[in-house]
Amino acid sequence: MRLSVLDLAPVRTDQSSPDALAATIRLAKLADSLDYTRYWAAEHHNLPSVAATNPAVLVAMLAAATSRLQVGAGGVMLPNHAPLAVAEQFALLEAAHPGRIDLGIGRAPGADPVASTVLRSGRDDSVVDQFPDHLDDVIALLGPAGVSVQLTDRNYVLKSTPRALTTPRVFVLGSSVHSAGVAAAKGLPYVFGHHLFGEQTAEALAYYRSEFVPSELATEPTVFLTVNTVVAETHQEATALILPYLHMQARTSTGHPPAPVPLVEEAQQTPLTPEQHRIAQAELARAVVGTPAEALAQLRELAARFGVDELMLNPVASARQGADPAASPGRESTLELVAGALPHKVNEK
């Protein structure tokens, strides 16, 4: 069972943006030392609880701070960006860290409608429908040969970097049958956001495998699954550490304004409505939570049930009052305890 890490660079109520980034860099260094396979940064905008707004910038920081990990975007929300800009950013990262850069690409906005409009410089939602074509553009631009554009008077060659020796590995991210179909048609590895929506996991993965068309980028279906994970020495402590995340999701889903991730004590003192409690319980049921032995059993069951090649842990533990703002002790212990429970390295089958 191969394990990796997805990080949204969460921001707690006791943290500033510099604190949250320091905690993420520290967590990436730990993942590197524990032999996790890869470490991906997400893309979200205008959220008080997420510092990961620019994957390319954050990936550069993470790659510079680590030595062995595959580092990448999980992912770049392509409708927010010009394909050439994405290709240039990740070609440059690959040139700086050959063989270590991943590019996960998704079609979701990663932002509210206002932020999305600003990001897209006023372009309407039709840019979302162009996702498959723009994905092709990014892949072509990343290639050493670039893209040939026929102008009226000449052939114009467009490249993302002057002389590429290697290219980032490209993945399609999604949480629906639609995204599974795009990944299958393009012959690309598929990363399903089980931590976001678990209702369509089995259907989407079955469709991806049945419709997969082999390509130079992937000769056979390759599936990763993301899962919210909190592990502690006791089940009670793991449940306490995930409570702030559950409260945040439940409150946001019922119309409350987005807010930073609460501390454990703050969440414990805040009651939920019956509807919010239902949402929190649904989130909890989809997560991996417990002691190292319990978590390992849950991870193995997930990997076997969906037949995935790799699990990406999204460590969503908050912290207790008095924690170092520049650290994330619950997230760190989650990675340490999972790695320690395995009979082999986390990047081995």
Side-chain angles (χ1 to χ4, degrees):
M1 182 170 59
R2 187 174 289 122
L3 300 178
S4 291
V5 181
L6 172 66
D7 189 1
L8 277 63
V11 183
R12 306 189 306 260
T13 54
D14 64 336
Q15 289 178 310
S16 64
S17 293
D19 290 332
L21 291 175
T24 279
I25 296 297
R26 178 168 162 156
L27 190 66
K29 289 180 176 180
L30 177 64
D32 199 30
S33 71
L34 293 172
D35 281 333
Y36 281 83
T37 302
R38 65 191 82 240
Y39 197 103
W40 283 5
E43 176 184 344
H44 292 279
H45 301 278
N46 202 37
L47 287 175
S49 59
V50 178
T53 56
N54 191 312
V57 173
L58 191 48
V59 169
M61 296 163 60
L62 295 170
T66 57
S67 60
R68 184 201 52 79
L69 282 168
Q70 291 289 124
V71 183
V76 169
M77 300 296 102
L78 192 52
N80 297 336
H81 311 280
L84 177 58
V86 174
E88 286 181 332
Q89 290 164 1
F90 281 81
L92 194 59
L93 287 166
E94 177 68 18
H97 306 279
R100 291 185 58 209
I101 302 300
D102 294 335
L103 172 54
I105 300 179
R107 66 187 289 271
D112 61 61
V114 175
S116 293
T117 299
V118 175
L119 282 164
R120 298 170 188 173
S121 300
R123 292 177 294 165
D124 60 31
D125 287 343
S126 64
V127 70
V128 176
D129 298 328
Q130 297 173 284
F131 174 72
D133 292 335
H134 287 175
L135 177 60
D136 287 340
D137 292 341
V138 172
I139 293 170
L141 287 163
L142 284 171
V147 174
S148 180
V149 180
Q150 187 60 53
L151 304 179
T152 54
D153 59 339
R154 61 193 170 100
N155 188 48
Y156 181 84
V157 177
L158 186 62
K159 293 185 177 184
S160 59
T161 193
R163 297 184 67 183
L165 296 179
T166 57
T167 58
R169 189 179 183 190
V170 178
F171 302 75
V172 171
L173 278 61
S175 54
S176 68
V177 174
H178 181 275
S179 58
V182 173
K186 305 294 184 185
L188 290 168
Y190 183 48
V191 183
F192 188 86
H194 186 73
H195 75 288
L196 295 171
F197 304 104
E199 294 80 5
Q200 294 191 50
T201 305
E203 182 184 3
L205 298 188
Y207 187 77
Y208 168 71
R209 292 183 173 113
S210 67
E211 299 298 315
F212 184 82
V213 179
S215 72
E216 293 182 357
L217 300 175
T219 57
E220 59 185 17
T222 303
V223 174
F224 294 3
L225 202 70
T226 61
V227 57
N228 291 332
T229 308
V230 176
V231 185
E233 293 289 359
T234 68
H235 188 92
Q236 182 180 11
E237 180 63 6
T239 302
L241 288 172
I242 198 174
L243 186 65
Y245 174 82
L246 301 177
H247 275 228
M248 182 183 68
Q249 294 297 103
R251 291 175 63 81
T252 302
S253 297
T254 52
H256 287 257
V261 181
L263 296 172
V264 170
E265 292 84 357
E266 293 170 337
Q268 290 173 333
Q269 295 166 12
T270 305
L272 296 179
T273 67
E275 175 63 10
Q276 289 169 344
H277 180 72
R278 184 195 65 78
I279 293 169
Q281 288 303 113
E283 290 278 353
L284 180 60
R286 196 166 57 247
V288 167
V289 182
T291 65
E294 291 170 339
L296 186 57
Q298 294 172 54
L299 290 169
R300 283 176 168 157
E301 190 277 331
L302 265 179
R305 189 195 334 163
F306 296 114
V308 299
D309 300 280
E310 187 167 313
L311 289 172
M312 300 198 76
L313 314 185
N314 180 24
V316 294
S318 185
R320 293 186 176 274
Q321 290 177 352
D324 180 358
S328 49
R331 299 203 297 148
E332 291 171 18
S333 62
T334 291
L335 297 191
E336 289 174 328
L337 292 171
V338 169
L342 287 169
H344 53 72
K345 291 183 178 181
V346 294
N347 62 356
E348 293 176 355
K349 287 285 189 179

